[in-house]
Amino acid sequence: KKLKQLMEKQVIKQHKTVWQSDLRNQHQGATSWLAMVDIDHFKKVNDNYGHVCGDEVLLLLAQKMRQFFRSSDLLFRFGGEEFVMVFEPTDYDSIHKKLAEFMDLVRGTHFPFVKKLTISVGMSRISPYDFPITVLENADKALYYAKENGRDKLCFYEELIAS
């Protein structure tokens, strides 16, 4: 329910930005986005080093997200080692670049005990006509595809459907 309210707020804000601005051209192609982020092989972290270490990894990753992304972007823990992020309106190239940079940051971060940590990301565009559950499911399908095809990947649902 909370996600639905937040997504609706983002979509309303998006339309105000696009239609009430004198600089409409700047915002063409801008849309809100939802990302599902999953830590690759997180079960191994818990199994090998214990849940206290796993919790440290989750906390450090959440701190990195909070520092890296805009304060207006919304961040939630979703399940065990998954996070959901809702991004303010931006274009595809900008969000792709930002997520790729974040994935690089994670690869280069020293986590407690864990030599190398990667994440997989599934992205979905938020359309004013979608139900929040549909957007979540689409991002989840893209995440599943990333994990099934080698992990440490960023996949966009709309691209997967197009191909």
Side-chain angles (χ1 to χ4, degrees), residues 77-134:
R77 184 161 172 207
F78 189 79
E81 72 276 8
E82 289 185 346
F83 292 87
V84 169
M85 292 187 279
V86 179
F87 297 98
E88 287 209 322
T90 189
D91 60 79
Y92 169 85
D93 290 338
S94 299
I95 198 70
H96 191 283
K97 182 176 183 263
K98 192 74 175 169
L99 266 296
E101 288 171 358
F102 182 70
M103 291 175 75
D104 283 342
L105 174 72
V106 172
R107 285 183 208 108
T109 298
H110 176 74
F111 289 89
F113 298 102
V114 185
K115 286 189 179 80
K116 185 179 180 221
L117 192 78
T118 60
I119 57 173
S120 295
V121 182
M123 294 286 297
S124 181
R125 182 183 302 270
I126 299 174
S127 149
Y129 312 107
D130 289 329
F131 292 108
I133 190 68
T134 306

Side-chain angles (χ1 to χ4, degrees), residues 28-78:
Q28 281 185 344
T31 185
S32 296
W33 299 90
L34 185 140
M36 286 194 82
V37 177
D38 188 83
I39 301 172
D40 296 325
H41 304 293
F42 186 70
K43 186 178 177 338
K44 285 184 185 172
V45 174
N46 278 334
D47 291 349
N48 293 339
Y49 307 109
H51 290 276
V52 172
C53 177
D55 288 348
E56 272 301 305
V57 168
L58 288 168
L59 191 60
L60 188 54
L61 181 63
Q63 288 170 344
K64 292 281 178 195
M65 286 179 186
R66 191 41 49 225
Q67 292 163 0
F68 187 82
F69 296 106
R70 297 177 291 199
S71 60
S72 53
D73 295 327
L74 309 172
L75 170 64
F76 308 93
R77 184 161 172 207
F78 189 79

